[in-house]
Amino acid sequence: VDAALMEESRAVQVIRRAVNVWRLRRNVRELKRQFRESDFGKKVVKRMYVFHDLLTSERKYVDKLRVIVEVFLRPLLSRIGSRKQILDQDTCGAIFGNVADILELQTMFLQEIERCLHDSSALAPPVGKLFQKMAPLLTIYSQYINNYDVAEATLSKWEEKKSSFRAFLESASASERTAGLGLSSLLIQPVQRFPRYRLLLEEILKNTPPSFKDYEDSKEAIELLKQANNYLNESRRELESHRRIEELSELFSDTVLQSILRPGRHHVMDGLIHLESAPKYNFDDDLFCVALTDLMLLAVETEATIRAKLYHTEHIFFLGFMNLKNSEVKHTTLETQDGEILEYHYFSFFFVDELIQVRHSDLGVVTSWLLNLRSAVDIINNRVAKDLGDKKAPGVLVRRRHDVLRGV
């Protein structure tokens, strides 16, 4: 009887423990449900999803970088100097840029992301700190992104020109590792990846409760990413400006354009527009104008250079001395001596005490000139006001061509 009672007692205890475990699990499930449905919980869960998206996409990105380097670049480099050479060193450099350096950086970053996930709290991996360390290094992308157009052009040129290179690309692209992507589709990956980091981090910050330590770290990391992005944009702008000025230099019979170049002075826009003014400058002709960040060159097509289609610099205006405050694009008509009615668009601005009119038949051209000049003038005047501690713009400056050689 005692044995039976003891057995029954043990059975009751087992049942009670089972019931308690069931109740505990039910309570845990309910707590999880309540957590997920709360605003705090929804944010934390979304945050983890975005973090895992970062991790997953980074793994795929690094794999693609490895394919570029290991399937395409290294085999080409290994053949240089042998009878099996396909491309020389310079051509490989033009196509692939510094992708090997980017692979090294991103491999390290991926390892940091994985370590961040495994070594930290499941609720709040320190993503902000991770990107704070990473952001300054992302300027390495500048060289690659600036070279991308050259890379695409060089790839297309040699693929068409050299059958052995075309055969190599077909063979390499057939590899399982490429997942059906050709070299051109792979080379664009770093260009597309860089902006995505900021978007992912902003989404993480959006779903990070302010009470989390990583909240402030993520905000600071976003600012660092913005700075890196600004650096890339400025670098790209400077390169494009340099290329355009080189092209423009071929149109000029003088060397003024090259002589006034300096760091921070970029090409803004250029084109043929009609300028008209009072007798002081005696403008009433089509002039080829080149706007830089702080200067505008006005060039004429002289009789001596018409045949060669070259322009000759006549004036240089300092943009900071233009008054565009009340300028607006207007439309009017003009009757020629032959009785023909011409329609054109224009805006006017003051330079010293001289009223100058800019006009063109295309509304878009006139609007672009006004917006770009106004933006440049505002930047200059704000900078001057900041330096002088005064909101008044400086006086007016016009320099003739010969003055440029003494420095602008």
Side-chain angles (χ1 to χ4, degrees), residues 33-44:
R33 184 189 66 78
Q34 292 177 8
F35 176 77
R36 285 194 297 266
E37 292 180 358
S38 68
D39 290 338
F40 180 87
K42 286 177 181 177
K43 280 190 171 185
V44 172

Side-chain angles (χ1 to χ4, degrees), residues 127 137 143 182 191 220 242 284 310 324 350 361 389:
V127 186
L137 303 176
Q143 179 183 338
V191 179
E220 184 176 342
H242 179 73
D284 190 11
L310 297 178
L324 292 155
F350 278 99
S361 59

Side-chain angles (χ1 to χ4, degrees), residues 189-214:
Q189 296 298 318
V191 179
Q192 295 175 332
R193 184 62 179 172
F194 182 84
R196 183 157 172 75
Y197 285 128
R198 181 175 160 187
L199 295 176
L200 285 168
L201 190 54
E202 286 176 342
E203 189 65 20
I204 287 175
L205 177 63
K206 177 182 173 183
N207 292 284
T208 301
S211 58
F212 280 22
K213 182 180 182 299
D214 199 52

Side-chain angles (χ1 to χ4, degrees), residues 58-74 96-111 134 137-138 140-141 144 177 190 197:
E58 189 67 17
R59 284 171 176 164
K60 292 178 180 178
Y61 174 50
V62 170
D63 284 343
K64 289 174 182 175
L65 291 176
R66 287 197 182 108
V67 169
I68 297 174
V69 172
E70 296 172 5
V71 177
F72 291 93
L73 177 57
R74 285 178 184 167
F96 295 95
N98 63 333
V99 69
D101 296 332
I102 292 176
L103 171 60
E104 183 178 350
L105 172 66
Q106 298 305 145
T107 300
M108 177 191 72
F109 186 50
L110 176 58
Q111 292 171 350
M134 176 68 172
L137 303 176
L138 290 175
I140 196 175
Y141 276 79
Y144 187 90
R177 294 186 62 187
Y197 285 128

Side-chain angles (χ1 to χ4, degrees), residues 61 96-98 102 138-151 187-195 228-229 232-233 235-236 239-240 243:
Y61 174 50
F96 295 95
N98 63 333
I102 292 176
L138 290 175
T139 53
I140 196 175
Y141 276 79
S142 173
Q143 179 183 338
Y144 187 90
I145 293 175
N146 288 342
N147 183 68
Y148 178 72
D149 292 339
V150 173
L187 288 175
I188 200 174
Q189 296 298 318
V191 179
Q192 295 175 332
R193 184 62 179 172
F194 182 84
N229 188 63
L232 291 184
N233 289 340
S235 175
R236 179 77 172 181
L239 178 65
E240 290 175 349
R243 288 174 179 169

Side-chain angles (χ1 to χ4, degrees), residues 7 54 61 81 125 129 140 145-146 166 180 248 291 317 333 361 407:
E7 187 67 27
L54 168 65
Y61 174 50
K129 281 290 186 186
I140 196 175
I145 293 175
N146 288 342
R166 190 162 56 249
L248 290 173
F317 285 177
T333 58
S361 59

Side-chain angles (χ1 to χ4, degrees), residues 8 33 98 112 158 168 211 213 244 295 333 345 368 396 399:
E8 182 180 346
R33 184 189 66 78
N98 63 333
E112 289 293 323
W158 285 98
F168 168 80
S211 58
K213 182 180 182 299
R244 180 55 183 161
L295 302 174
T333 58
H345 306 273
S368 293
V396 181
R399 292 195 177 185

